[in-house]
Amino acid sequence: MHPAIISLLDHRTGIDRDTWRSLWDQLGAGDLDRGESVALLASLATRLPDHDSLRNLLASLNERREPVTANWPGTVNIVGTGGGPRTFNISTASAFVAAALGVKVVKTGSRAYTSSVGSIDLLERLGVGLTRSYRHTEDTLDKYGIAFAGPFVYPTELLRMARLIMPMSLKPFGRFVNALGPFLAALPVTAQVTGVSVHAPQPELRRLAAGIKDRKVWLCMNDSGADELLGFADNVIYTNDETSMIRLWAGRFTSDKGTFEDLAPARDLDQVADHFLEVVSGAAGEVVTETISLNAAALAVATGHIEDWTVAFEAARDAVVTGAARSLVDAMRTPHERKLTLVRKAVSNG
């Protein structure tokens, strides 16, 4: 078994970059077997390594990428760690709302690991495609102001391991994938807004964020354990710049009303897309509208698109109630999916 995996299983500290390099070399050469891959992912999912080992792991993966020559100034990436209370896809809805008010947004995400429907699952049901390259992402940003980046932004080593452990699902290893996902994607953005749930390794993520110098990083947490900002909870945003901390207490820009029942996902998977369209149309209730507006406001403030939180929140809310966010979603959907939505609506109306 490879020394890196043995060290993880024995809870040893200080795994250096050369050891991780050796592991990826062995994986690339086809010399890492399925059992070792399962052991590696299971260990990482059970307990993250110490900070130095984790930092070396990320650095060893990052140095294997082709250099990213793209540059997207004024653009923000929104992503969450998952693992909090079950809600609809708040970050995806907030991304559309922010883009509708003029913020350039690149959304990364995954399939469902800790929830019933991940962002990619939702986008498939909506008929919104993922981008396939940096150039494709730029073209999509130019056209819509928002893009949903595909797997190309992540290290190929993770894809190789996923293929190696098949038919076993990656779902049992979702904690590791979700927790480190925000730090694995190579995106030339100005800012990154990451929702961190109570089940994520919050202190470690704060240490990792502090070491990032090429972009602003906001880690959003709250006293309800969700990985999004909530109008009815006390929120704190840890930043890697001179601000260091932003507090958004319950009711600061919203009412302090609401519970997680108001933010519940669709009960039936077949209703996920229609429910999401109600959300971005402002037809899913005031708590829902306030929640996605608050998170969209964070994207606007993080990029400097709007500096004042109150102004940003009101602009986001207007993007919902005026239909601008819904129009953007419809513009990005395939004609087939748009037609299906109209048919379902006609049937439901009798």
Side-chain angles (χ1 to χ4, degrees):
M1 186 170 288
H2 192 276
I5 302 175
I6 294 173
S7 295
L8 288 173
L9 294 176
D10 290 343
H11 305 309
R12 300 176 190 171
T13 61
I15 305 174
D16 61 30
R17 195 179 302 189
D18 284 339
T19 302
W20 290 117
R21 286 169 176 156
S22 170
L23 177 69
W24 309 134
D25 287 342
Q26 189 169 317
L27 174 66
D31 295 330
L32 196 71
D33 63 34
R34 183 172 182 273
E36 287 180 294
S37 294
V38 171
L40 172 63
L41 288 171
S43 177
L44 291 171
T46 303
R47 174 180 173 176
L48 288 179
D50 64 286
H51 176 70
D52 288 340
S53 297
L54 189 57
R55 183 169 47 82
N56 286 329
L57 184 158
L58 294 175
S60 70
L61 288 172
N62 192 53
E63 68 186 14
R64 301 173 77 88
R65 307 177 195 263
E66 291 293 327
V68 179
T69 58
N71 183 29
W72 306 330
T75 303
V76 60
N77 169 227
I78 177 173
V79 61
T81 63
R86 292 182 72 247
T87 67
F88 68 89
N89 298 77
I90 294 174
S91 62
T92 304
S94 303
F96 276 114
V97 174
L101 64 89
V103 181
K104 294 285 188 180
V105 182
V106 177
K107 175 80 175 74
T108 52
S110 64
R111 295 194 180 276
Y113 291 124
T114 56
S115 61
S116 57
V117 179
S119 60
I120 293 180
D121 304 306
L122 168 64
L123 293 170
E124 283 184 348
R125 286 169 167 80
L126 287 171
V128 176
L130 304 180
T131 59
R132 301 178 297 277
S133 65
Y134 290 104
R135 179 60 183 271
H136 187 199
T137 304
E138 289 177 358
D139 292 342
T140 305
L141 277 172
D142 288 342
K143 185 174 183 179
Y144 298 110
I146 184 172
F148 297 90
F152 71 92
V153 300
Y154 293 102
T156 58
E157 288 74 15
L158 297 184
L159 180 59
R160 289 197 186 103
M161 277 197 294
R163 289 172 176 167
L164 193 57
I165 70 171
M166 289 178 65
M168 181 179 289
S169 169
L170 272 177
K171 202 158 190 172
F173 314 119
R175 179 177 179 271
F176 164 71
V177 176
N178 280 342
L180 291 190
F183 300 95
L184 290 169
L187 291 168
V189 295
T190 299
Q192 173 182 316
V193 175
T194 300
V196 181
S197 78
V198 68
H199 298 296
Q202 296 181 355
E204 183 56 49
L205 296 186
R206 289 175 60 186
R207 291 188 70 184
L208 290 174
I212 296 175
K213 306 302 180 184
D214 62 345
R215 63 190 181 277
K216 180 187 294 185
V217 178
W218 283 10
L219 300 180
C220 305
M221 309 174 191
N222 58 66
D223 61 0
S224 293
D227 66 341
E228 296 93 4
L229 299 174
L230 301 174
F232 54 81
D234 290 333
N235 308 275
V236 60
I237 302 174
Y238 294 100
T239 75
N240 67 337
D241 58 18
E242 67 279 356
T243 308
S244 83
M245 183 187 297
I246 301 170
R247 292 192 180 276
L248 304 177
W249 55 87
R252 181 175 178 185
F253 304 113
T254 68
S255 68
D256 59 359
K257 308 298 182 184
T259 68
F260 282 109
E261 290 185 6
D262 298 298
L263 307 179
R267 295 182 180 179
D268 191 323
L269 291 180
D270 292 334
Q271 299 174 348
V272 166
D274 289 338
H275 177 259
F276 185 82
L277 294 175
E278 290 182 355
V279 166
V280 295
S281 301
E286 185 61 23
V287 175
V288 169
T289 297
E290 287 187 343
T291 300
I292 61 176
S293 298
L294 182 61
N295 285 274
L299 303 185
V301 176
T303 57
H305 182 76
I306 300 175
E307 294 184 358
D308 183 85
W309 275 91
T310 301
V311 174
F313 175 79
E314 292 301 328
R317 195 175 187 286
D318 285 346
V320 177
V321 299
T322 62
R326 168 64 188 268
S327 295
L328 178 57
V329 177
D330 285 338
M332 295 190 73
R333 302 178 74 199
T334 61
H336 174 68
E337 291 298 330
R338 291 200 299 270
K339 184 176 180 180
L340 283 180
T341 297
L342 293 174
V343 171
R344 289 194 296 266
K345 185 176 181 180
V347 171
S348 66
N349 290 336

